[in-house]
Amino acid sequence: MEKKNINWSELSFAYIPTDYRFVSHYKDGKWDEGKLISDPECKMSESAGVLQYAQTCFEGLKAYTQKNGRIVTFRPDLNAERLISSCRRLLIPEVSKEVFLKAVDETVRANAAYVPPYGTGATLYIRPFVYGSGAVIGVSPAPEYEFRVFVTPVGPYFKGGIKPLKITVSDYDRAAPNGTGNIKAGLNYAMSLYAGYEAKKNGYSENLYLDAATRTKVEETGGANFLFITNDKKVVTPKSSTILPSITRRSLVYVAEHYLGLEVEEREVYFDELSDFAECGLCGTAAVISPVGQIDYRGGSIQFKSGMEEMGPVTAKLRKTLTGIQNGDIEAPSGWIREIC
Ligand code: PLP
Ligand code: COI
């Protein structure tokens, strides 16, 4: 298969339409079998549940070309499970794990020419999503839905690749206690746009959100969970019922413990203790693990020892091991890698 003529190493995190997407419809109480189509446009009622009341949720995962040329995905079963939990909370009919995995496999396989080659640093981002396509006008779940999977080749999420980031503490809250912070609902991102716009306008790459109830604890950023490293190389990551359960974070915790022999603490992390940490990273599918050098807040600034020039040594080891597993350079734990073609 001939690859598309793309300058892989210059890609940013932006949407490029590819040749095929998977689409399945839910009507009269059931999902149809679904199929690959070439039309990138969605057609729906002007009163669709997604348009009127934001009834939609999504996932994000990646396909990688390994050294031996195999195209694989990373722990897609966990994305399938998380999409099910998002659907339940939004009263969207669940997409079964089997259909999710089949849809992802088929979409990646059909777009194999867009999967960046090994060693380019780029990957194929996979975006499965479900939305209420049927008409509603009272506030209620839509009668019809569409499940889609599209893919797009991407480079680094943050401009500058893996240079340490400067982030700021948001004055806005991301997730209410007992709200939707722990699912991947589109509405969580719509409400973060203004906060993100303000952060970028002021020269920051991202927002750190505090817990909405007390504004004393670190939650996550708009698109990634946090990992902190103590001076004695312990990994600390915030535990909260209102953050997205990141698959990258869960994988890095395993990597830290089982590959690097590091101690890991998953616990509430108070904003006041951040200046005690030596390193800070943002982890997620898009972010991989992106180092943070500085966090500014009203009236102050925290500078991590790792500085603004390069990522800290523990963050670098975590990143190298995780990407090594994804790229097939390091043996993966059983069940983490799914071969597509
Ligand atoms: N937190 C938020 C709010 C996200 O949008 C994401 C991205 O998916 C993550 C964390 C990281 O999750 P994952 O590692 O599963 O991609
Ligand atoms: C991902 O990492 O897959 C996400 O969905 C985060 C988003 C901000 C791009």
Side-chain angles (χ1 to χ4, degrees), residues 143-300:
E144 291 173 21
Y145 295 83
E146 200 161 299
F147 166 57
R148 280 194 172 232
V149 181
F150 70 78
V151 296
T152 191
V154 295
Y157 187 61
F158 293 108
K159 268 198 226 106
I162 50 174
K163 279 286 259 187
L165 306 168
K166 214 161 69 164
I167 66 171
T168 186
V169 178
S170 178
D171 288 334
Y172 303 93
D173 294 322
R174 176 182 173 274
N178 308 308
T180 55
N182 61 337
I183 59 161
K184 216 161 162 55
L187 59 93
N188 293 342
Y189 300 81
M191 49 79 22
S192 79
L193 292 175
Y194 189 77
Y197 157 77
E198 281 203 337
K200 297 218 167 76
K201 192 176 64 175
N202 293 321
Y204 299 102
S205 301
E206 254 293 7
N207 273 306
L208 177 157
Y209 290 99
L210 296 169
D211 74 295
T214 70
R215 295 191 62 83
T216 58
K217 289 175 264 183
V218 175
E219 292 260 279
E220 60 177 328
T221 64
N225 284 180
F226 276 106
L227 281 184
F228 299 100
I229 312 294
T230 63
N231 284 311
D232 54 359
K233 298 190 172 21
K234 197 187 290 172
V235 178
V236 178
T237 185
K239 189 181 171 103
S240 161
S241 59
T242 50
I243 63 174
L244 191 76
S246 158
I247 293 160
T248 314
R249 187 247 305 156
R250 286 181 267 163
S251 304
L252 285 165
V253 162
Y254 185 91
V255 162
E257 286 176 333
H258 296 88
Y259 283 66
L260 303 177
L262 301 171
E263 205 180 312
V264 179
E265 267 181 20
E266 218 168 314
R267 61 163 171 86
E268 291 184 333
V269 174
Y270 285 86
F271 185 73
D272 279 353
E273 61 177 304
L274 290 195
S275 51
D276 297 339
F277 292 118
E279 300 174 38
C280 170
L282 305 182
C283 56
T285 298
V288 191
I289 176 164
S290 300
V292 174
Q294 183 172 328
I295 304 179
D296 289 354
Y297 56 98
R298 247 175 223 288

Side-chain angles (χ1 to χ4, degrees), residues 46-126:
E46 63 188 354
S47 208
V50 60
L51 298 179
Q52 302 309 322
Y53 303 121
Q55 196 191 13
T56 181
C57 53
F58 66 100
E59 272 305 320
L61 66 161
K62 284 174 171 173
Y64 308 82
T65 304
Q66 298 198 323
K67 205 188 248 167
N68 57 11
R70 288 192 316 172
I71 294 174
V72 305
T73 49
F74 180 73
R75 310 190 78 181
D77 50 317
L78 298 187
N79 295 94
E81 286 167 16
R82 196 169 61 187
L83 188 68
I84 289 173
S85 86
S86 299
C87 285
R88 283 190 185 148
R89 179 69 172 80
L90 298 174
L91 281 183
I92 292 175
E94 288 168 29
V95 176
S96 73
K97 202 172 191 172
E98 293 69 35
V99 170
F100 180 97
L101 294 173
K102 174 178 111 116
V104 168
D105 287 358
E106 285 186 11
T107 315
V108 172
R109 205 175 290 128
N111 292 292
Y114 289 93
V115 186
Y118 173 82
T120 56
T123 49
L124 188 78
Y125 187 68
I126 307 166

